Amino acid sequence: MKIAIFGATGRVGGQILKQALADGHQVKALVRSPKLDEHPNLEVITGNVRKAEDVERTLEGADAVFSAIGTDGTTTLSEAMPLIIGAMKNAGIRRLITIGTAGILNSRLTPGKLRYQGGDSNRKLTFAAEEHETVFRLLEAIDLDWTIVCPTYLPDGEMRGGYRTEKDYLPEGGKEITVGDTAEFAYRQLKDKAFIRSRVGIAY
């Protein structure tokens, strides 16, 4: 399979990249600076995810797309996603797996609201959740096979398994999930159809 990855130098994106290459997939990764290790199945494109032509080059020939773009206090995510969606539609690519945040899952405390709005989350800063909600609303309105993987507190750590997932909600009592397990679950969505066109909460 040919896979395009945005955010491949980040914590989760880097782990998804490793798994895709280990399985023999052909990968294109768009990065701001060329700091990924060379690999015969990896094509690194140096550019800007906020430029349509760079996004289009990355998606050329792809069968599926991963986005692990971080928010890092900027609007990069919400600026990039419309470009990714547009390029996918133009190229006829349907499958998009993106990393979100538990803040955009449904609130258990306040029906009709998201967790970051409904008092479920202890986080006082909502900028990241607002950016991810913008992406969620964009995807909700389009005809693509998208999945948003929504981890809660995300410490570094390897795959250890034993995590729980739930469509549109954070599993009851879920407090954290490692980077390794988040990446492993997101990567498995290439073949798993259970969470097409939905958010999925993940936690231990």
Side-chain angles (χ1 to χ4, degrees), residues 152-155 160 173-178 202-204:
T152 182
Y153 172 58
L154 192 61
R160 68 190 206 205
K175 299 295 184 186
E176 67 175 41
I177 182 73
T178 63
I202 179 171
Y204 297 119

Side-chain angles (χ1 to χ4, degrees), residues 22-38:
D23 280 351
H25 295 297
Q26 298 284 330
V27 180
K28 280 187 181 181
L30 178 61
V31 298
R32 283 175 291 191
S33 56
K35 54 186 176 182
L36 293 173
D37 294 336
E38 290 187 8

Side-chain angles (χ1 to χ4, degrees), residues 3-7 16 20 64-68 95-99 183 186-190:
I3 299 170
I5 302 180
F6 299 95
I16 291 171
V65 180
F66 281 99
S67 170
R95 189 66 174 120
L96 172 63
I97 301 151
T98 182
I99 306 301
Y187 178 67
R188 282 201 292 110
Q189 301 316 297
L190 273 178

Side-chain angles (χ1 to χ4, degrees), residues 22-126:
D23 280 351
H25 295 297
Q26 298 284 330
V27 180
K28 280 187 181 181
L30 178 61
V31 298
R32 283 175 291 191
S33 56
K35 54 186 176 182
L36 293 173
D37 294 336
E38 290 187 8
H39 188 283
N41 285 358
L42 173 63
E43 180 181 349
V44 176
I45 295 173
T46 304
N48 188 334
V49 74
R50 289 180 286 191
K51 288 188 176 179
E53 59 268 30
D54 293 341
V55 171
E56 288 165 5
R57 280 195 298 146
T58 307
L59 292 186
E60 189 175 341
D63 301 304
V65 180
F66 281 99
S67 170
I69 300 169
T71 50
D72 61 16
T74 73
T75 56
T76 299
L77 176 61
S78 60
E79 290 180 56
M81 191 54 67
L83 302 180
I84 293 170
I85 291 168
M88 287 181 67
K89 286 184 172 180
N90 290 340
I93 305 165
R94 291 202 54 84
R95 189 66 174 120
L96 172 63
I97 301 151
T98 182
I99 306 301
T101 175
I104 65 165
L105 295 165
N106 293 343
S107 171
R108 293 187 189 276
L109 297 178
T110 313
K113 291 189 177 293
L114 303 180
R115 292 184 78 253
Y116 87 93
Q117 303 164 326
D120 304 65
S121 172
N122 293 326
R123 294 186 177 227
K124 299 293 185 275
L125 301 177
T126 62

